[in-house]
Amino acid sequence: MSTLNRFILRYSLFASLLFPLVLFSSSADATSSLEKIARSGIIVLGHRDASAPLSYVDDKTQKPMGYMLDICYKIADAVKRELKRPDIAIKHELVVSSTRIKSLVDGKIDLECGSSTSTQDRLKEVSFTIPTYLDLGRALVRKDSGINSIYDLTGKTIATTRGTSYEKMASELNVNRSLRAKILLAKDHEEAFELLEQGKADAFIMKEVILASLKAGAKKPENYVLAREVLEIQPTAIILRKDDLAFKKIVDGEILRLIQTGEIKKKKK
């Protein structure tokens, strides 16, 4: 079973507990997202460039790909059915960790189909769908480092990606566990992995699925391992605009359909 499939199975039970909340959600009047999409004839999907296997740009085709985008394409189809507009086009917009929420709030994108963790801080600005899976926060380290737990990072250097929930996590772990570690913030996941690869960082803290993908794509993947300790369990989801109840009902409803039919586990060909 692949790493991604394990994560999909991991969250299925949790997601099922949310079914009643979505099924009985408000059917408010058409909100800004639906009106915007109907008026423009376009639904804009925000994607990442280096968050494989969730959301990334394929090196060969230079096209956006990934598990989260596959879900967003299904959501786009559901929106077309709701609006009775099969002619609605899909546009892709590249976003990064530090700009994804602003791009959504400003109306540049309609859905952020990336690798975002649903957090209380972010819920003050935007809304999240039901989780598309539950992910584990882990540390990727060099095989010969001897690092297995967060306490092994005392006095070491930790890398993570700027603008992600792991930036806050690294800072809190550093203070709460008195690690006295140096924290390096990279502009994206690839740069953070390069810090580890070049020996400038002793560990890269991030979602397990992203770390596993970066490790698999390394020149010498056998040189890296995931530290045994799980740092946090986090719900990963698609972001949409806040207080957009009619749009959220369509989006969550389609994700529930994908879960119930088992389509969410199928790899797009």
Side-chain angles (χ1 to χ4, degrees):
M1 182 181 291
S2 70
T3 301
L4 184 54
N5 281 338
R6 288 201 303 274
F7 293 139
I8 294 170
L9 291 173
R10 180 185 295 154
Y11 95 92
S12 295
L13 177 60
F14 176 78
S16 69
L17 298 176
L18 298 176
F19 285 4
L21 298 179
V22 177
L23 293 175
F24 293 101
S25 62
S26 170
S27 55
D29 293 336
T31 56
S32 59
S33 291
L34 288 177
E35 292 174 348
K36 174 179 175 293
I37 293 166
R39 185 173 61 251
S40 67
I42 299 171
I43 183 167
V44 186
L45 307 181
H47 69 92
R48 309 294 293 279
D49 62 348
S51 290
L54 302 178
S55 183
Y56 62 100
V57 175
D58 183 70
D59 289 337
K60 293 181 179 179
T61 65
Q62 291 300 300
K63 292 182 179 179
M65 299 181 68
Y67 170 71
M68 299 293 269
L69 275 167
D70 289 347
I71 294 174
C72 280
Y73 294 144
K74 293 289 188 179
I75 292 170
D77 289 340
V79 171
K80 292 178 185 181
R81 292 193 297 270
E82 176 69 20
L83 294 175
K84 298 179 174 58
R85 289 282 306 276
D87 60 312
I88 287 174
I90 293 174
K91 178 183 176 183
H92 298 92
E93 183 76 21
L94 178 64
V95 296
V96 298
S97 297
S98 58
T99 64
R100 54 188 160 177
I101 290 180
K102 188 175 188 304
S103 293
L104 192 68
V105 172
D106 291 348
K108 293 181 180 178
I109 61 174
D110 299 305
L111 293 167
E112 196 269 338
C113 314
S115 56
S116 299
T117 300
S118 177
T119 67
Q120 289 301 313
D121 286 343
R122 290 173 180 167
L123 285 170
K124 296 173 183 177
E125 298 182 80
V126 293
S127 183
F128 283 82
T129 64
I130 60 173
T132 48
Y133 67 87
L134 295 182
D135 196 19
L136 304 180
R138 298 280 291 276
L140 186 68
V141 299
R142 288 185 294 279
K143 189 175 183 179
D144 60 359
S145 68
I147 296 171
N148 288 302
S149 76
I150 192 65
Y151 290 107
D152 293 329
L153 289 170
T154 301
K156 305 284 188 181
T157 301
I158 300 171
T160 193
T161 307
R162 186 185 301 276
T164 66
S165 60
Y166 287 85
E167 177 182 350
K168 181 179 180 181
M169 180 201 289
S171 179
E172 290 178 345
L173 286 172
N174 200 24
V175 173
N176 296 340
R177 304 202 190 185
S178 303
L179 299 179
R180 302 184 305 280
K182 179 180 180 181
I183 298 175
L184 299 180
L185 299 178
K187 68 175 192 255
D188 55 34
H189 303 321
E190 289 184 337
E191 183 177 88
F193 180 72
E194 286 175 5
L195 292 172
L196 176 65
E197 197 173 35
Q198 295 166 3
K200 296 179 181 178
D202 299 292
F204 173 18
I205 291 178
M206 185 47 59
K207 296 176 187 288
E208 182 180 13
V209 66
I210 291 176
L211 295 176
S213 178
L214 289 167
K215 174 182 180 293
K219 294 178 181 178
K220 294 184 177 181
E222 66 276 10
N223 288 353
Y224 307 95
V225 295
L226 288 164
R228 287 197 296 267
E229 183 179 1
V230 173
L231 303 177
E232 193 170 52
I233 299 176
Q234 296 190 333
T236 298
I238 294 163
I239 314 180
L240 58 159
R241 277 180 281 280
K242 191 175 178 64
D243 300 325
D244 208 346
L245 298 182
F247 188 54
K248 190 176 192 312
K249 184 176 181 180
I250 295 168
V251 173
D252 279 345
E254 178 60 13
I255 294 175
L256 289 178
R257 186 191 71 79
L258 294 174
I259 294 169
Q260 292 169 332
T261 61
E263 287 182 53
I264 201 164
K265 301 176 186 177
K266 297 177 182 177
K267 184 177 180 181
K268 185 178 179 180
K269 297 182 179 179

